[in-house]
């Protein structure tokens, strides 16, 4: 009888039903690290970078596989220098890098053995930039996350098709289970050949929301190889079992400015906002709609006020260089972070949630009030615990503060205002 019971338990364990995910201690520690990190670099790089019209060029321009594949022959980034990218991220104050190992075009940016549609086998360059970058990240002490697209416009077994990929000209047949095995085999390569992998960021699930993706099988595979690896899935929904942080694309948590996040309720997991500097992820030579450095910093501050990280994207060019507009913006953000990072790194959001005037962060016995847009000469902050003092973060100058029935009121008539972020430090009693 006992033996039968144990047998049933083992069987249940192998099936990993919903509600059974127990993150390893190392994973829980990694989540803390992630929440403290606050700022990362997203990198979109692939053979689409050759076309210079963004990473969706294949789909947007109805390019069939046969006409898309020749892009690989033109991918020869002789000016790529992993150390330079990592150094830029560090200068900007970023603590991790998330890079596309495979985007929707199915092209592996690493030396996969699962097919020839990869950077080592299909380009004249023949190098593995994921290996070069991961090694450099480990050397320079910055964490490395791998983006991996579940959606694949190139693989013949990605069938039946979903919402996209209908102009790729693939055979009208395919074996879905074989595709899932292919994905797991690729992920196994990424988690065994590149040292410590700090995160896996999935995307493209939304192409086939009703398919049997067997996500738990894949998540369990990842965690069996590297228990601490943080998994997220950009499915625009509240996280599923086995995921370790929640990502919001082009949106602050709980918002739906881009229209992607209708069904994404903010969860209790660590949060991340992924955003672009202009309006493209992959390099797009015609996209000059650059956000100002001021607005990027304010976005980072607002994300922190939500308790979220900002994963800010660059789309390097096919020669391996990051365009000067991005480098300049990141260097300016880095200057700001060197002066004000104490009010961002290691903090959590609140206690007052972000408002039209700005946001709050907190750490230890301090609250940081980030005034991004001063709307009146005084600012009322409700629901705070007893406070001892208020001072300007930069100068230490005292800020007049009174306590009222509605909360503490900061009197800001005589304080110096900063066009980007006027930071007031509140000390708990
Ligand atoms: O990698 C970057 C983008 O290429 C990728 N995610 C970021 C990180 C991304 N792909 N698509 N999107 C973001 C938005 C997708 C929108 C649409 Fe649809 C896909 C519109 C129509 C098809 C999703 C599915 C929304 C409606 C149906």
């Amino acid at each position: 009888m006992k033996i039968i019971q144990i047998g049933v338990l083992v069987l249940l364990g192998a099936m990993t039903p919903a509600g059974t995910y127990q993150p390893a201690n190392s994973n829980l520690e990694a989540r803390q690290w992630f929440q403290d990190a606050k700022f990362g670099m997203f990198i979109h790089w692939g053979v689409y970078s050759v076309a210079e019209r963004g990473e969706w060029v294949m789909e947007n321009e109805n390019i069939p596989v046969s006409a898309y594949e020749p892009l690989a022959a033109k991918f020869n980034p002789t000016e790529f220098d992993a150390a330079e990218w990592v150094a830029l991220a560090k200068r900007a104050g970023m603590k991790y890098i998330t890079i596309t190992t495979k985007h929707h075009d199915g092209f592996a940016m690493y030396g996969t053995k699962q097919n020839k549609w990869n950077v080592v086998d299909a380009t004249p360059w023949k190098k593995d930039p994921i290996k070069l970058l991961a090694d450099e990240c480990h050397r320079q002490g910055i964490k490395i996350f791998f983006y991996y697209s579940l959606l694949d416009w190139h693989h013949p077994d990605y069938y039946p098709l979903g919402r996209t990929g209908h102009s790729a000209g693939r055979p009208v047949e395919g074996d879905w289970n074989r595709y899932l095995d292919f994905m797991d085999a690729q992920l196994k390569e990424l988690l065994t050949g590149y040292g410590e992998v700090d995160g896996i960021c999935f995307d493209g699930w939304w192409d086939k929301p009703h398919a049997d993706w067997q996500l738990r099988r894949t998540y369990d595979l990842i965690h069996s190889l590297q228990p601490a690896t943080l998994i997220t899935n950009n499915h625009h929904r509240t996280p599923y079992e086995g995921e370790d942080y929640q990502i919001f694309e082009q949106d602050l948590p709980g918002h739906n400015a881009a229209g992607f996040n209708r069904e994404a309720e903010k969860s209790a997991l660590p949060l991340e906002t992924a955003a672009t500097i202009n309006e493209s992820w992959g390099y797009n030579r015609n996209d000059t709609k650059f956000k100002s450095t001021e607005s990027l910093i304010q976005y980072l501050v607002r994300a922190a006020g939500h308790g979220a990280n900002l994963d800010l994207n660059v789309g390097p060019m096919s020669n391996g260089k990051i365009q000067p507009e991005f480098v300049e913006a990141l260097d300016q953000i880095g200057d700001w972070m060197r002066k004000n990072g104490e009010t961002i790194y290691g903090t959590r959001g609140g206690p007052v949630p972000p408002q039209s005037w700005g946001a709050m962060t907190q750490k230890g016995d301090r609250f940081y009030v980030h005034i991004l847009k001063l709307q009146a000469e005084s600012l009322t902050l409700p629901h705070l615990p007893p406070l001892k003092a208020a001072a300007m973060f930069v100068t230490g100058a005292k800020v007049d503060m009174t306590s009222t029935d509605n909360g503490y009121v900061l009197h800001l008539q005589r304080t110096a205002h900063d066009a980007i972020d006027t930071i007031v430090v509140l000390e708990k009693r």
Side-chain angles (χ1 to χ4, degrees), residues 16-300:
T16 56
T20 57
Y21 175 47
Q22 283 296 333
N25 283 336
S26 58
N27 186 286
L28 296 173
E29 280 162 25
R31 292 182 189 185
Q32 294 291 327
W33 176 89
F34 184 76
Q35 287 183 297
D36 289 345
K38 283 293 170 296
F39 193 26
M41 173 183 274
F42 213 151
I43 302 180
H44 277 70
W45 203 37
V47 287
Y48 45 77
S49 311
V50 172
E52 308 189 331
R53 300 192 292 284
E55 78 290 353
W56 269 64
V57 62
M58 180 176 172
E59 175 73 6
N60 290 346
E61 301 182 14
N62 300 318
I63 303 173
V65 165
S66 57
Y68 189 83
E69 279 183 341
L71 285 176
K74 295 187 192 151
F75 187 81
N76 193 17
T78 52
E79 293 178 58
F80 170 73
D81 179 355
E84 200 175 290
W85 287 12
V86 175
L88 173 64
K90 290 188 83 170
R91 279 206 314 278
M94 293 158 154
K95 304 293 186 192
Y96 59 101
I97 289 177
T98 311
I99 184 159
T100 48
T101 60
K102 184 190 95 163
H103 206 267
H104 308 335
D105 64 1
F107 188 80
M109 285 296 281
Y110 70 99
T112 182
K113 296 280 183 284
Q114 306 310 315
N115 64 16
K116 298 285 177 208
W117 185 227
N118 72 77
V119 64
V120 175
D121 291 319
T123 75
W125 193 47
K126 300 192 191 317
K127 292 186 186 162
D128 181 338
I130 300 301
K131 183 84 178 103
L132 294 168
L133 192 69
D135 286 351
E136 192 58 38
C137 284
H138 295 136
R139 203 171 298 137
Q140 293 200 39
I142 181 163
K143 306 246 184 212
I144 181 81
F145 289 49
F146 292 157
Y147 169 106
Y148 185 93
S149 174
L150 300 164
L151 161 62
D152 195 313
W153 294 326
H154 184 277
H155 200 288
D157 284 318
Y158 189 90
Y159 185 88
L161 299 182
R163 289 163 151 159
T164 66
H166 292 265
S167 44
R170 286 173 290 188
V172 188
E173 59 185 346
D175 183 336
W176 181 247
N177 285 318
R178 205 157 59 194
Y179 178 70
L180 297 182
D181 289 344
F182 160 81
M183 280 205 310
D184 282 355
Q186 284 208 319
L187 287 158
K188 191 171 176 189
E189 291 174 331
L190 288 167
L191 284 144
T192 52
Y194 296 82
E196 198 173 307
V197 178
D198 300 290
I200 298 283
C201 171
F202 289 108
D203 197 1
W205 176 94
W206 37 258
D207 185 60
K208 291 180 72 168
H210 304 296
D212 179 12
W213 287 100
Q214 299 191 31
L215 290 178
R216 256 323 269 284
R217 189 182 87 166
T218 299
Y219 296 170
D220 288 347
L221 168 72
I222 293 166
H223 284 143
S224 74
L225 296 168
Q226 297 206 31
T229 301
L230 298 175
I231 297 174
T232 194
N233 191 331
N234 186 30
H235 41 45
H236 307 149
R237 308 266 174 117
T238 305
Y240 295 145
E241 273 278 313
E243 297 170 8
D244 302 309
Y245 69 98
Q246 182 176 13
I247 185 170
F248 291 83
E249 177 171 342
Q250 304 281 35
D251 246 328
L252 294 169
H255 289 240
N256 185 27
F260 300 143
N261 297 315
R262 271 183 300 277
E263 295 164 71
E265 265 181 65
K266 186 167 156 174
S267 77
L269 290 176
L271 308 171
E272 179 187 76
T273 287
T276 50
I277 294 178
N278 51 7
E279 294 184 345
S280 307
W281 300 93
Y283 180 66
N284 184 342
R285 71 164 179 269
N286 292 321
D287 185 350
T288 54
K289 289 194 177 152
F290 301 105
K291 294 163 192 160
S292 67
T293 301
E294 289 76 10
S295 70
L296 290 170
I297 292 170
Q298 293 189 337
Y299 204 62
L300 171 61

Side-chain angles (χ1 to χ4, degrees), residues 319-338:
N319 66 2
K321 287 285 178 200
I322 296 173
Q323 65 188 89
E325 293 89 347
F326 292 165
V327 174
E328 193 182 333
L330 294 183
D331 272 325
Q332 289 169 351
I333 297 172
D335 287 342
W336 189 89
M337 285 297 260
R338 264 183 291 283

